Amino acid sequence: MWPMDTPNAPSRTRWSALMSGPEAAFTYRKRFLDLESSGEDIHGEARFVTELVPPPSRVLDAGCGFGRVASKLTRLGHTAIGVDADEHLIALASEDPDTRFFVADLATLHLRTEQEFHAVVMAGNVVTYLADGTLPAVLERLSAHLAPGGYLVSGFGLAGSVPDGAAAVDLRTYDRLAEAVGLSFIARYSTWDKDPFWPTSTYAVSVHRRTRG
């Protein structure tokens, strides 16, 4: 049984409009496996989170896809849980017996027994692929699952560099919405390796901390 309330019908995300079904899930996972086999580093997000909250920490991978980040976090010593609205991606993620994965809509997320995480991560352009208009609800739900002092970390492309089918999200809007649900801005980088963020950066890794609520 999933440790969550029965969700409402999931929002139709921009991701689901672009890619859905078991074949699409396999293709998506294969792309990353091919990158890794060619020598590419695909675990920057997990390293970033581990530097922020050393293991053992409780980490929620929100929009986890096929479990790339959550499974790596588990191997690094964290207690990681992954949630995603795509049941086919979750089916692939669940091949990892050491990490728990659940189908869930981030805009209505309510984990009954897993309320407090030390960090929540939204990697892989999750923010830009959300259903239109749901970002405020998603931030509220993720903030509600953070322990006091816990961190929300997100990485996404900016205007002019968003992936196909995604929507640009203004950083000022993102920060304002985060502040409204008790998340204070801490830092911003242009890569998961903590390269400095500049006005001309095309990608933003943002760190906010739950300071109230």
Side-chain angles (χ1 to χ4, degrees):
M1 179 178 290
W2 299 346
M4 60 177 64
D5 291 332
T6 301
N8 299 324
S11 308
R12 182 164 175 76
T13 64
R14 284 179 167 265
W15 177 261
S16 63
L18 180 71
M19 184 177 294
S20 63
E23 184 175 349
F26 276 109
T27 299
Y28 181 63
R29 179 173 70 172
K30 184 178 184 302
R31 177 160 65 89
F32 280 93
L33 294 179
D34 288 346
L35 286 171
E36 187 172 28
S37 64
S38 70
E40 290 283 338
D41 176 13
I42 64 169
H43 296 300
E45 301 98 329
R47 284 197 309 275
F48 185 102
V49 171
T50 298
E51 290 179 9
L52 192 64
V53 288
S57 294
R58 295 181 53 79
V59 183
L60 175 64
D61 183 2
C64 65
F66 64 88
R68 174 177 59 88
V69 177
S71 290
K72 181 64 174 179
L73 287 167
T74 296
R75 294 194 295 272
L76 290 171
H78 298 281
T79 298
I81 291 177
V83 295
D84 198 286
D86 189 320
E87 61 182 317
H88 302 292
L89 286 170
I90 289 295
L92 295 180
S94 297
E95 293 176 6
D96 173 7
D98 299 318
T99 308
R100 288 187 291 168
F101 294 97
F102 305 104
V103 177
D105 184 345
L106 297 184
T108 57
L109 184 67
H110 188 167
L111 300 177
R112 287 177 180 163
T113 60
E114 313 292 352
Q115 287 291 338
E116 292 197 336
F117 293 87
H118 300 108
V120 175
V121 58
M122 286 192 289
N125 279 295
V126 169
V127 170
T128 61
Y129 279 119
L130 293 173
D132 291 345
T134 62
L135 179 57
V138 169
L139 291 176
E140 187 279 324
R141 286 289 76 218
L142 297 184
S143 178
H145 285 76
L146 280 171
Y151 296 95
L152 173 67
V153 184
S154 66
F156 54 89
L158 304 177
S161 298
V162 294
D164 292 342
V169 175
D170 180 74
L171 287 175
R172 289 169 298 182
T173 299
Y174 183 85
D175 291 343
R176 176 176 55 80
L177 293 174
E179 180 68 28
V181 296
L183 298 170
S184 297
F185 175 78
I186 299 298
R188 178 162 287 133
Y189 307 94
S190 63
T191 70
W192 291 101
D193 291 322
K194 296 187 177 180
D195 290 323
F197 184 84
W198 303 103
T200 55
S201 296
T202 59
Y203 192 85
V205 176
S206 303
V207 183
H208 291 74
R209 192 172 194 180
R210 184 181 173 190
T211 54
R212 62 178 174 80

